[in-house]
Amino acid sequence: MQYLCNRYAPDSPLYPTEPKKRALVDRWLNYDLSVFSALGESLLRPKFMGLEMSEENKTKFNDTIKLLDQLIGNNKYVAGSDLTIADLSLLATTNTLIVLGVDVSSYPNFKTWITGLTKELSYFDEIHKFKDDGLHKAYIARMKASFLEKLNKSQ
């Protein structure tokens, strides 16, 4: 996303050129990587393997979303007053929670942020919602097989 903005939309507010604003976006993009990793380990791996979340994973998941909720605060967008690629990246990462039906009501700032973005982005449903065509079931089956293969190799 950074490259695309730099190359094709260098003056776009999606990736601001002002150094302090860009630093905020970059910070959120880097933070998003840790959110993605934490959610993968604590939520997705057990989910795809058909396991219950361990207490350790529940704590890791809750800590991750709690911190995210606190960092978002009352902001409409994560890095300032404009929509940026940080919002889009974090939305792609955290949309998994919505797809999996995770209750996020305990995290009101996060819930407000994700709900607001999904409504604001007119194209959201088109690109983030799975159609009931079986493709998402096939994807989940492949992910589960991949996790199980890694688990078997590690034992």
Side-chain angles (χ1 to χ4, degrees):
M1 289 187 292
Q2 292 162 304
Y3 168 78
L4 292 173
C5 284
N6 284 331
R7 175 73 171 94
Y8 298 106
D11 296 322
S12 171
L14 283 173
Y15 196 43
T17 56
E18 193 278 315
K20 286 184 180 182
K21 288 181 180 181
R22 181 166 280 201
L24 286 173
V25 173
D26 290 341
R27 182 180 71 181
W28 272 99
L29 289 170
N30 289 318
Y31 176 68
D32 181 38
L33 295 173
S34 70
V35 171
F36 181 78
S37 176
L39 293 181
E41 286 295 317
S42 65
L43 176 69
L44 298 180
R45 182 179 299 252
K47 181 79 168 174
F48 286 134
M49 293 176 66
L51 304 172
E52 291 293 319
M53 283 176 71
S54 67
E55 288 305 314
E56 178 183 342
N57 282 340
K58 286 178 185 176
T59 299
K60 186 175 186 178
F61 171 79
N62 287 324
D63 289 349
T64 298
I65 302 303
K66 183 178 179 181
L67 178 58
L68 179 58
D69 185 69
Q70 290 170 347
L71 291 173
I72 291 171
N74 293 322
N75 299 317
K76 182 176 180 180
Y77 304 111
V78 295
S81 58
D82 295 310
L83 177 72
T84 68
I85 60 175
D87 291 289
L88 299 176
S89 182
L90 193 59
L91 178 61
T93 297
T94 57
N95 181 54
T96 306
L97 302 176
I98 306 306
V99 171
L100 295 176
V102 175
D103 179 15
V104 295
S105 61
S106 297
Y107 312 100
N109 299 328
F110 170 73
K111 184 176 181 181
T112 299
W113 171 80
I114 198 168
T115 302
L117 276 184
T118 58
K119 289 179 182 175
E120 177 182 341
L121 302 174
S122 60
Y123 48 82
F124 179 82
D125 285 340
E126 181 182 349
I127 61 175
H128 280 90
K129 299 288 183 182
F130 290 111
K131 295 179 182 174
D132 193 15
D133 58 6
L135 288 178
H136 68 286
K137 290 178 184 174
Y139 173 75
I140 290 173
R142 283 195 313 273
M143 291 297 293
K144 183 175 181 178
S146 174
F147 281 128
L148 289 173
E149 181 180 335
K150 288 177 186 176
L151 179 67
N152 289 334
K153 286 182 182 179
S154 70
Q155 293 180 346

